[in-house]
């Protein structure tokens, strides 16, 4: 029998049982749709994390107060930060290959301008901070090394603060009051988006770290020191140098818990990637189960259909159908079912991903490879789960099949 | 052309009892001959036709058609034999329920690898000979028993078989239509194109055939050759 004819015969058989065909394909539709939607969500999350890690800057090492120890994360003794400005100066002068370095002295603080006020984050940093984080200014200029030495009252503000306090108008040259101290605004930063932890990085006022520590926070310690390396290849060595230097400075021996952590951007990326890989894998695995269930559904229906059409098979054989004609007919039926399911599943999956983005605002990334893979997989399911019923049909004895009631 | 020697076919009933449908049947038929088989219900007529059509296998004995020893043939040789050599009119018609009469008649050609167009032209020819031109596009459940029977005859002849096995092909027909079917058979016979074996309950029809075999209890009773013509 010609292949085209086999195809037409199979399609007709499927059409004769429209509802049943649809329900059978539904298993695959849901399976493929779920795989694509899940992988899209996973990939979207991954892309977002990668973006955020890149937004840390280039070749950045973070030296953080507190440590990971047997009791989990501690933020140093009694919640007080442990990094100091002398620590930073020591790193700058004693570790090789430092391109830029800046502390981050943060504090949540209500600020005011005119008759408006707004709760934001004060972030005391060095002038190098903005280059280090690849975070250019949109307006005005940055403060300088001299401002740091003099602990002057100047500030660079984030885009969100401009919106909230100045209705989006250019505030350069104006003042912003922090604890009733007027700070001169010298610059406005470009928009950066949310951080790895999900907070809005543009909702911040940046001042020289000396000003922040003396005038606003009243502290000698900082939470984080950002160190930028000259070269990526030097980073592991620099991490080791920083660790040993700080161990020495903080008198940390084998029996004393460390009070700081040194993490490179790559470390952070690896951890985040590992997490999102596990997440994506898990989601895809769960979704694959529904594909498997869909495949079993196809097999079930094909078996029913072979039984129902035993007499038809007998007649076909009696008038000259080959076993392989029968095999092909049933196999094509199950492949058509699963591939149709695959095509609609792709539509459903892509639609779901888009809907998720619309409703929750999550980033989703539809990956062509996931589409290709789940479609191929659904075709394979058609062959795999259709083969046994088709084989069974082809192996029927013609006279037995003719007599079947 | 057809050589049946010492053929036995036993059915196993559900309760384990054995039914001897055919018992030591031997028979030779020449190519191009035309034979009627009569006999009471249950004497094994249909069983014999199924064996000749390579739909069923004997328990013992040999059947050779056109030099092909059926029980030694491979499954694919038997399929080829069913498709090319034999045409069968089943006692219970066995048309495919989802196909029109025309499609049913064209099916053996399609299975043999003919294109749709060629198969349809030939099928229309046979459908017309069977007097079913108006009913060609109906489904089997939309026509009468006699019409089904004629469609079954058309399907058995569509691929020009060299052996025609007809199991009561006139059983549901009025005399006019029975005559039409028999005339068809006679024409084929006279053209010397096919060997014809026909089971019938009508002694009248059997009497018109060149050969007439009687069966009883799974065995051949008599062989009255050349009775009529
Ligand atoms: N599948 C089967 N299982 C058990 N017994 C069977 C089976 N098929 C036929 N028989 C028995 O074999 C015998 C011969 O059956 P067969 O169909 O050949 O008879 P027949 O001569 O064609 O009868 P009829 O004129 O009624 O069609 C009968 O006794 C029947 O009951
Ligand atoms: Mg019978």
């Amino acid at each position: 029998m010609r292949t085209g004819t086999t195809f037409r015969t199979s399609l007709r058989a499927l059409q004769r049982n429209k509802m049943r065909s649809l329900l059978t394909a539904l298993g695959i539709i849901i399976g493929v749709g779920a795989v694509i939607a899940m992988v899209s969500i996973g990939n979207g999350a991954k892309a977002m994390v990668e973006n955020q890690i890149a937004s840390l800057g280039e070749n950045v090492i973070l030296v953080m107060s507190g440590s990971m120890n047997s009791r989990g994360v501690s933020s140093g003794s009694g919640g007080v930060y442990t990094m100091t400005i002398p620590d930073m100066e020591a790193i700058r002068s004693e570790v090789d290959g430092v391109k830029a370095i800046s502390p981050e002295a943060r504090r949540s603080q209500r600020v005011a301008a005119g008759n408006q006020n707004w709760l934001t984050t004060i972030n005391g940093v060095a002038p190098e901070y903005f280059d280090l984080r690849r975070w250019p200014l949109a307006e005005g200029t940055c403060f300088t090394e001299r401002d740091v030495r003099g602990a002057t009252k100047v500030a660079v503000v984030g885009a969100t603060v401009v919106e909230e306090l100045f209705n989006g108008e250019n505030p350069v040259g104006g003042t912003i009051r922090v604890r009733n101290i007027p700070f001169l605004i010298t610059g406005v930063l470009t928009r950066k988006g949310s951080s790895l932890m999900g907070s809005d990085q543009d909702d911040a006022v940046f001042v020289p770290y000396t000003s922040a520590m003396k005038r606003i926070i009243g502290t000698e310690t900082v939470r984080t020191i950002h160190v930028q390396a000259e070269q990526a290849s030097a980073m592991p060595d620099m991490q080791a140098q920083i660790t040993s230097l700080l161990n020495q400075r903080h008198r940390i021996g084998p029996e004393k818990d460390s009070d700081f952590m040194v993490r490179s951007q790559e470390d952070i990326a690896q951890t985040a990637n590992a997490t999102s890989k596990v997440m994506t894998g898990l989601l895809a695995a769960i979704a694959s189960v529904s594909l498997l269930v869909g495949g079993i559904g196809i097999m079930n229906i094909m078996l029913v259909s072979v039984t129902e059409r035993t007499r038809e098979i007998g007649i076909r054989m009696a008038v000259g159908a080959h076993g392989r004609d029968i095999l092909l007919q049933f196999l094509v039926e199950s492949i058509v079912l699963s591939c149709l399911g695959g095509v609609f599943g792709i539509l459903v999956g892509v639609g779901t991903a888009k809907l998720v983005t619309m409703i929750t605002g999550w980033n989703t990334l539809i990956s062509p490879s996931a589409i290709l893979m789940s479609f191929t997989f659904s075709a394979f399911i058609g062959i795999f789960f259709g083969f046994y019923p088709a084989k069974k049909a082809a192996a029927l004895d013609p006279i037995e099949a003719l007599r079947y009631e | 052309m057809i050589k049946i020697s010492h053929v036995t076919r036993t059915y196993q009933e559900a309760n384990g009892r054995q039914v001897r449908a055919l018992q030591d049947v031997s028979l030779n038929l020449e190519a191009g001959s035309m034979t009627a088989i009569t006999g009471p219900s249950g004497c094994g007529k249909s069983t014999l036709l199924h064996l000749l059509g390579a739909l069923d296998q004997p328990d013992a004995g040999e059947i050779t058609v056109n030099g092909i020893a059926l029980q030694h043939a491979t499954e694919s040789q038997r399929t080829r034999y069913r498709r090319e050599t034999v045409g069968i009119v089943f006692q219970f018609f066995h048309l495919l329920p989802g196909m029109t009469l025309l499609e049913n008649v064209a099916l053996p050609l399609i299975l043999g690898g003919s294109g749709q167009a060629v198969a349809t032209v030939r099928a229309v020819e046979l459908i017309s000979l069977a007097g079913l031109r108006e009913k060609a596009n109906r489904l089997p459940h939309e026509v009468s028993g006699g019409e089904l029977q004629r469609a079954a005859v058309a399907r058995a002849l569509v691929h020009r078989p060299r052996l025609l096995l007809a199991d009561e092909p006139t059983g549901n027909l009025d005399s006019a239509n029975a005559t039409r079917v028999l005339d068809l058979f006679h024409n084929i016979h006279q053209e010397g194109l096919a060997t014809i074996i026909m089971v019938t309950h009508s002694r009248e029809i059997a009497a018109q055939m060149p050969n007439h075999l009687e069966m009883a209890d799974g065995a051949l009773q008599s062989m009255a050759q050349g009775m009529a013509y």
Side-chain angles (χ1 to χ4, degrees):
Chain A
M1 187 148 96
R2 295 186 179 183
T3 321
T5 319
T6 307
F7 244 97
R8 238 172 295 135
T9 311
S10 301
L11 288 182
R12 262 177 78 160
L14 291 176
Q15 267 171 9
R16 230 180 300 155
N17 274 313
K18 278 200 196 70
M19 190 64 182
R20 184 204 279 186
S21 304
L22 185 79
L23 288 175
T24 311
L26 197 61
I28 299 292
I29 292 176
I30 292 172
V32 169
V35 168
I36 289 177
M38 293 301 179
V39 171
S40 299
I41 291 169
N43 280 343
K46 193 170 145 224
M48 201 155 80
V49 167
E50 275 167 6
N51 226 345
Q52 286 159 347
I53 289 168
S55 87
L56 276 177
E58 199 174 8
N59 303 342
V60 172
I61 296 170
L62 297 184
V63 183
M64 293 171 275
S65 293
S67 67
M68 286 279 246
N69 57 26
S70 51
R71 281 156 306 184
V73 182
S74 86
S75 54
S77 41
V80 176
Y81 298 139
T82 54
M83 289 298 112
T84 62
I85 299 306
D87 284 338
M88 179 180 93
E89 295 304 341
I91 291 171
R92 193 205 295 276
S93 59
E94 288 178 40
V95 174
D96 302 327
V98 175
K99 183 180 177 195
I101 190 161
S102 168
E104 256 193 351
R106 286 161 166 274
R107 160 145 179 192
S108 192
Q109 179 69 51
R110 192 161 286 279
V111 298
N115 53 5
Q116 309 265 56
N117 71 77
W118 176 246
L119 183 64
T120 183
T121 303
I122 300 295
N123 202 347
V125 298
E128 293 147 84
Y129 180 81
F130 304 101
D131 265 352
L132 184 152
R133 294 209 54 195
R134 281 192 298 194
W135 197 352
L137 278 95
E139 307 277 354
T141 55
C142 183
F143 45 80
T144 62
E145 214 32 65
R146 182 184 294 181
D147 291 314
V148 171
R149 280 198 297 276
T152 53
K153 294 175 275 184
V154 288
V156 170
V157 294
T160 304
V161 174
V162 174
E163 262 165 38
E164 296 295 338
L165 283 183
F166 301 96
N167 298 322
E169 281 162 36
N170 183 359
V172 173
T175 56
I176 183 166
R177 296 191 306 281
V178 186
R179 303 188 78 186
N180 268 331
I181 310 164
F183 277 71
L184 174 70
I185 297 174
T186 62
V188 175
L189 288 162
T190 50
R191 195 169 276 287
K192 188 95 168 159
S194 64
S195 76
L196 208 52
M197 306 304 164
S199 60
D200 177 8
Q201 302 185 84
D202 300 306
D203 187 6
V205 174
F206 293 87
V207 299
Y209 62 87
T210 44
S211 316
M213 291 167 77
K214 284 181 196 152
R215 295 182 190 276
I216 303 169
I217 308 173
T219 178
E220 295 291 313
T221 57
V222 298
R223 190 169 74 165
T224 321
I225 297 172
H226 290 235
V227 183
Q228 186 174 32
E230 300 268 12
Q231 276 171 344
S233 58
M235 287 172 77
D237 188 42
M238 286 176 70
Q239 276 177 268
Q241 283 188 45
I242 293 170
T243 307
S244 82
L245 175 69
L246 291 177
N247 277 341
Q248 205 184 326
R249 289 180 59 85
H250 292 206
R251 295 179 212 295
I252 289 167
E255 68 286 351
K256 193 178 165 209
D257 281 344
S258 183
D259 61 0
F260 63 91
M261 289 185 285
V262 181
R263 293 276 182 277
S264 73
Q265 206 172 351
E266 204 178 322
D267 295 338
I268 297 168
Q270 263 170 15
T271 316
N273 267 345
T275 315
S276 64
K277 238 193 208 139
V278 168
M279 269 282 289
T280 308
L282 210 66
L283 290 176
I286 293 169
S288 306
V289 169
S290 60
L291 252 183
L292 188 73
V293 173
I296 293 170
I298 286 192
M299 181 146 157
N300 187 19
I301 284 301
M302 291 313 296
L303 281 173
V304 168
S305 156
V306 167
T307 308
E308 271 180 1
R309 276 144 66 189
T310 298
R311 251 167 65 86
E312 174 186 331
I313 295 165
I315 294 169
R316 284 177 173 276
M317 286 181 155
V319 298
H322 271 294
R324 80 174 116 78
D325 293 332
I326 305 286
L327 181 97
L328 209 62
Q329 184 193 332
F330 280 90
L331 206 53
V332 166
E333 253 177 65
S334 85
I335 293 172
V336 166
L337 267 183
S338 66
C339 285
L340 270 182
V343 168
F344 283 104
I346 289 170
L347 296 182
V348 167
V350 170
T352 307
K354 293 234 184 298
L355 205 69
V356 163
T357 304
M358 242 170 62
I359 293 173
T360 64
W362 294 352
N363 201 3
T364 57
L365 200 79
I366 290 150
S367 99
S369 70
I371 289 180
L372 199 75
M373 243 176 56
S374 51
F375 184 77
T376 314
F377 194 58
S378 65
F380 173 77
I381 278 180
I383 296 172
F384 184 80
F385 288 101
F387 192 78
Y388 172 68
K391 190 88 192 152
K392 209 177 143 191
L396 285 174
D397 182 51
I399 195 75
E400 294 294 327
L402 274 178
R403 282 210 193 93
Y404 186 86
E405 289 302 331
Chain B
M1 182 244 187
I2 298 177
K3 192 172 154 61
I4 301 174
S5 49
H6 307 291
V7 161
T8 299
R9 177 72 171 99
T10 311
Y11 292 113
Q12 192 86 31
E13 277 188 344
N15 58 19
R17 246 186 36 144
Q18 300 216 320
V19 182
R20 280 263 155 113
L22 290 179
Q23 198 161 6
D24 196 23
V25 173
S26 295
L27 171 68
N28 284 326
L29 292 172
E30 279 166 30
S33 62
M34 191 174 189
T35 308
I37 299 179
T38 55
S41 183
C43 70
K45 304 180 297 290
S46 295
T47 304
L48 184 62
L49 289 196
H50 291 155
L51 290 175
L52 281 169
L55 293 170
D56 199 5
Q57 297 265 38
D59 303 315
E62 306 231 326
I63 301 175
T64 308
V65 180
N66 277 354
I68 306 168
L70 290 182
Q71 68 273 39
H72 300 309
T74 63
E75 197 44 54
S76 107
Q77 283 170 325
R78 289 164 64 84
T79 299
R80 221 182 131 92
Y81 168 82
R82 287 198 287 265
R83 195 171 68 210
E84 289 171 4
T85 310
V86 194
I88 304 185
V89 184
F90 289 99
Q91 186 172 7
F92 304 108
F93 321 138
H94 290 326
L95 295 177
L96 285 179
M99 291 185 164
T100 64
L101 297 191
L102 184 65
E103 286 167 333
N104 264 290
V105 171
L107 186 61
L109 297 175
I110 300 279
L111 288 172
S114 300
Q116 199 75 45
V118 176
T120 304
V121 169
R122 171 75 180 150
V124 166
E125 193 181 320
L126 264 293
I127 281 267
S128 309
L129 279 177
L132 290 170
R133 224 198 161 99
E134 269 80 64
K135 311 282 166 75
N137 290 319
R138 297 218 194 155
L139 293 172
H141 66 88
E142 295 168 339
V143 299
S144 74
E147 286 158 350
L148 278 182
Q149 187 144 42
R150 280 181 282 147
V153 169
R155 183 180 66 182
L157 294 174
V158 74
H159 56 304
R160 301 186 174 90
R162 298 223 306 229
L163 173 59
L164 176 66
L165 305 169
D167 203 343
E168 294 189 37
T170 55
N172 289 282
L173 302 181
D174 58 79
S175 62
N177 276 310
T179 308
R180 188 202 280 263
V181 166
L182 289 175
D183 283 349
L184 215 61
F185 287 7
H186 278 297
N187 285 343
I188 292 163
H189 172 60
Q190 259 146 30
E191 286 165 26
L193 294 177
T195 312
I196 300 173
I197 302 175
M198 181 175 126
V199 169
T200 178
H201 275 298
S202 156
R203 299 202 144 266
E204 196 184 323
I205 289 173
Q208 297 171 25
M209 298 283 164
N211 302 325
H212 178 193
L213 299 178
E214 257 194 47
M215 286 183 73
D217 270 344
L220 285 175
Q221 291 304 93
S222 63
M223 187 145 172
Q225 289 219 1
M227 271 180 70
Y229 304 13

